[in-house]
Amino acid sequence: MLSNFSFHHVGYATKSIEKTSKVFQELGYTISDTSFDTLQHVKIALLKKKDSPQIELVEMIDETSPVSKILEKNGVTTYHVCYEVQDIELAIAELRKQKFVLLFNPVVAVALDNRLICYLFHKDVGLIELLQK
Ligand code: NI
């Protein structure tokens, strides 16, 4: 099912990009500038390290942030995997056939070069994010 999807990043929910990134930086990651995503109501930073999957830190701004419930339940945790796709609408249609539910229509993500993203949920898989190439 994921043959045309390429891994892009794993997403962490955090209450503090500063505190979480400090630990990753000690592990050899470099951090991008933090962006403020008004649509998703979160702050976002990306962590990179040679030969390692990219990590996205998603910080809640307040209780209305989509990650606030995840943080309340689990504390800092990974919560989504993002795949890059050639055609986001086609990929959504493909995942819907596999019983994924689209959480919202694609929106522009400031932290990811203003490319389109969306999230889908599957009860046996959890959250997947799609990123338009
Ligand atoms: Ni993400």
Side-chain angles (χ1 to χ4, degrees):
M1 118 191 164
L2 295 176
S3 55
N4 297 318
F5 293 46
S6 46
F7 183 89
H8 191 269
H9 65 260
V10 58
Y12 270 77
T14 178
K15 285 183 180 170
S16 166
I17 284 176
E18 194 190 336
K19 284 184 188 168
T20 303
S21 68
K22 193 169 173 266
V23 178
F24 278 107
Q25 285 178 91
E26 276 159 22
L27 296 172
Y29 285 83
T30 54
I31 186 168
S32 68
D33 289 336
T34 301
S35 23
F36 181 61
D37 190 322
T38 49
L39 281 173
Q40 296 188 82
H41 209 65
V42 288
K43 282 188 201 166
I44 289 178
L46 295 165
L47 293 164
K48 290 182 184 185
K49 185 177 186 248
K50 193 177 177 286
D51 299 328
S52 296
Q54 185 168 231
I55 292 171
E56 177 188 56
L57 300 180
V58 182
E59 179 184 310
M60 66 178 277
I61 290 166
D62 57 37
E63 276 63 40
T64 68
S65 299
V67 290
S68 78
K69 283 207 179 84
I70 294 165
L71 285 161
E72 198 180 294
K73 242 179 153 178
N74 305 300
V76 178
T77 183
T78 56
Y79 76 103
H80 74 266
V81 171
C82 178
Y83 291 93
E84 209 171 17
V85 294
Q86 287 290 352
D87 181 338
I88 200 165
E89 293 298 340
L90 204 68
I92 290 167
E94 207 175 305
L95 288 177
R96 274 181 155 162
K97 278 187 214 151
Q98 306 287 337
K99 298 205 163 70
F100 278 83
V101 176
L102 182 66
L103 300 191
F104 54 84
N105 285 317
V107 294
V108 163
V110 287
L112 298 165
D113 307 321
N114 291 318
R115 289 152 74 190
L116 288 175
I117 59 139
C118 69
Y119 281 88
L120 296 105
F121 179 80
H122 188 296
K123 68 177 176 58
D124 299 325
V125 178
L127 276 180
I128 280 186
E129 179 182 19
L130 297 179
L131 170 66
Q132 174 76 51
K133 246 189 190 135

